[in-house]
Amino acid sequence: MKLVINSSFKMLPQRTGLSLQSPLRPISVLVFHLLLTHSCRGQSQMIGLSQPIVALVGDDIILPCHLEPAVDVSAMTLEWTRPDLNSIAVFMWRAGKDLVHVKDLSYTGRTSLFTDGLKNGNISLKLSKVKLSDKGRYKCYVAVLDKESLVELVVASGAASYPVITLAGIDEATGGVMLDCRSEGWYPEPEVLWLDGEGNLLSAGPPETVRGPDDLYTVSSRVTVEKRHSNSFTCRVQQKNTNQTRETHIPISNDFFKLQSSSSPVTTGLAVSLAVWIIMFILLLLFIVWKWRKNRIKTQRNPLDQRERETLMKSKLVETKGAELQQLHEEKKRNENELQSLKEELENKKKEMERIQNTQVVII
């Protein structure tokens, strides 16, 4: 924009003989400044950023703000504030100076403008060594133009740990393996997902979340898995707003699932077998008693053969009992061998489970 001064002003010094150049110069500058301000009010727009800015703790970031078309704002009052803070300002620029005394103490030494860019309308704020407490909405404001823009800052912790998966035990109802997952140092609060080897989501209970005195979150989750085509399982902890993801994989051998699926039926079958043999033994005793009473009745009816019958009956009874006892002894021995074998197998599987539990495979 050009400022045009009527040529008649140039003739006045010649007519009067007085110098009007000195009083006219500040007036023209003032008029130019007013016209420029009026023009900026009607045309310039404050440009910020519609998407949130994501930063990790300790980062140096820039909160964008500038005027389009460009306007020299170096001599204007510029403010950066946070509506959620009661302090005067995050940063204030007035008469070409950084007003440190009106700045929130938590931002002391961490905020600055690009002074070389002020003449081009660049009011972007540089924020150094970002803290968790810096999260929030920032307002860029130019008082003389009555223009403002908002920028959202999301701060994430860069100390989030990779998940640690442990074997928590066996689900007796299903024979599945229970897995625990734990991860620390998150901010904001993350979510926990379980996946199988094909990337399918697994059904798990709600995670437990604990917030520490440092405002960082620790999350843990448990899932029960059953044997699949690929016995590889993943615990993934992620924070969508900051695009942070940590995950850990763990493989589980087929033998471990075989132990769980077979141990319960074997135990049940053994118990049923023992119960059957006990019932058979009781029935055998009842049968022997019945036979003995029957023979006794016959002996009472024929007294002449009583002694002979008694001797014969006792002999048969001894033989029968001996045979039955021998059979029971052999069956007992077989059951003891089977129990011993099962005990050794369970002990071996227990050692294998402990070895797997102590081994955690971490894939970044």
Side-chain angles (χ1 to χ4, degrees):
M1 182 179 63
K2 297 182 180 179
L3 182 62
V4 179
I5 305 296
N6 195 296
S7 59
S8 60
F9 285 108
K10 297 181 180 179
M11 301 298 296
L12 288 176
Q14 298 176 359
R15 292 178 182 177
T16 62
L18 299 175
S19 177
L20 297 181
Q21 184 176 3
S22 178
L24 284 177
R25 189 166 188 173
I27 294 175
S28 63
V29 171
L30 177 61
V31 172
F32 178 80
H33 180 72
L34 291 175
L35 291 175
L36 177 62
T37 301
H38 177 74
S39 176
C40 291
R41 285 178 182 268
Q43 298 179 10
S44 295
Q45 298 295 324
M46 187 79 77
I47 307 299
L49 189 65
S50 59
Q51 298 297 325
I53 294 178
V54 178
L56 296 179
V57 172
D59 283 353
D60 295 343
I61 60 147
I62 296 174
L63 302 178
C65 178
H66 63 278
L67 289 169
E68 288 186 2
V71 175
D72 186 356
V73 294
S74 57
M76 299 181 186
T77 299
L78 313 175
E79 297 179 7
W80 275 94
T81 59
R82 268 179 59 184
D84 59 326
L85 290 181
N86 295 325
S87 59
I88 299 176
V90 171
F91 183 90
M92 182 171 288
W93 177 273
R94 182 181 296 165
K97 294 182 180 180
D98 177 3
L99 302 185
V100 179
H101 63 281
V102 299
K103 188 183 302 184
D104 186 279
L105 294 178
S106 65
Y107 290 92
T108 301
R110 298 194 300 123
T111 54
S112 62
L113 296 180
F114 297 91
T115 55
D116 293 339
L118 293 178
K119 59 184 179 181
N120 297 320
N122 183 11
I123 320 170
S124 300
L125 181 71
K126 181 179 180 181
L127 177 60
S128 304
K129 300 178 181 178
V130 172
K131 304 176 181 178
L132 287 178
S133 59
D134 292 339
K135 64 181 178 66
R137 180 171 292 183
Y138 291 76
K139 182 172 74 172
C140 172
Y141 179 68
V142 181
V144 69
L145 303 180
D146 194 24
K147 300 289 185 179
E148 68 177 39
S149 68
L150 297 175
V151 180
E152 183 77 20
L153 175 61
V154 177
V155 182
S157 168
S161 68
Y162 281 88
V164 176
I165 302 177
T166 57
L167 297 176
I170 306 302
D171 188 339
E172 297 181 357
T174 63
V177 179
M178 292 185 293
L179 302 176
D180 275 347
C181 177
R182 178 184 175 89
S183 183
E184 302 176 348
W186 286 90
Y187 191 92
E189 182 179 353
E191 62 177 347
V192 183
L193 304 175
W194 285 95
L195 303 96
D196 61 15
E198 286 75 34
N200 301 314
L201 287 176
L202 300 177
S203 177
E208 296 182 2
T209 304
V210 178
R211 189 171 185 176
D214 54 0
D215 288 335
L216 300 181
Y217 291 92
T218 296
V219 292
S220 58
S221 175
R222 172 173 292 187
V223 70
T224 300
V225 298
E226 299 179 357
K227 185 179 179 181
R228 297 170 179 261
H229 177 70
S230 174
N231 292 327
S232 177
F233 303 95
T234 300
C235 176
R236 177 181 296 168
V237 185
Q238 63 183 24
Q239 215 297 322
K240 292 183 178 179
N241 292 338
T242 61
N243 294 324
Q244 283 196 103
T245 300
R246 300 283 190 273
E247 63 181 36
T248 298
H249 310 276
I250 183 172
I252 300 179
S253 66
N254 290 331
D255 294 337
F256 191 81
F257 285 100
K258 289 180 180 179
L259 171 63
Q260 311 315 319
S261 61
S262 62
S263 60
S264 180
V266 167
T267 304
T268 303
L270 183 60
V272 172
S273 178
L274 291 175
V276 170
W277 280 107
I278 291 174
I279 294 174
M280 290 180 62
F281 181 75
I282 294 174
L283 292 176
L284 178 61
L285 290 179
L286 291 176
F287 176 77
I288 293 174
V289 172
W290 176 77
K291 291 289 292 183
W292 177 76
R293 292 186 65 183
K294 184 178 180 180
N295 291 332
R296 184 177 181 183
I297 293 173
K298 288 183 179 180
T299 302
Q300 289 178 351
R301 291 178 180 178
N302 190 2
L304 296 178
D305 299 330
Q306 181 176 358
R307 291 183 180 180
E308 182 179 353
R309 291 177 181 276
E310 288 179 356
T311 303
L312 180 61
M313 183 173 159
K314 289 180 179 180
S315 177
K316 290 182 178 180
L317 182 61
V318 170
E319 292 177 359
T320 303
K321 288 185 175 180
E324 294 296 335
L325 289 175
Q326 179 65 27
Q327 184 177 2
L328 289 174
H329 179 72
E330 293 176 356
E331 187 64 25
K332 179 181 178 182
K333 188 174 181 179
R334 286 195 298 270
N335 288 338
E336 289 177 349
N337 292 336
E338 185 177 358
L339 286 174
Q340 181 63 28
S341 176
L342 180 60
K343 182 178 179 181
E344 293 175 354
E345 182 180 358
L346 289 175
E347 187 66 21
N348 292 334
K349 295 300 181 179
K350 181 179 179 182
K351 292 179 179 180
E352 181 180 356
M353 183 178 68
E354 293 176 350
R355 178 181 61 80
I356 296 175
Q357 186 172 1
N358 294 327
T359 303
Q360 301 177 357
V361 180
V362 178
I363 300 178
I364 300 176

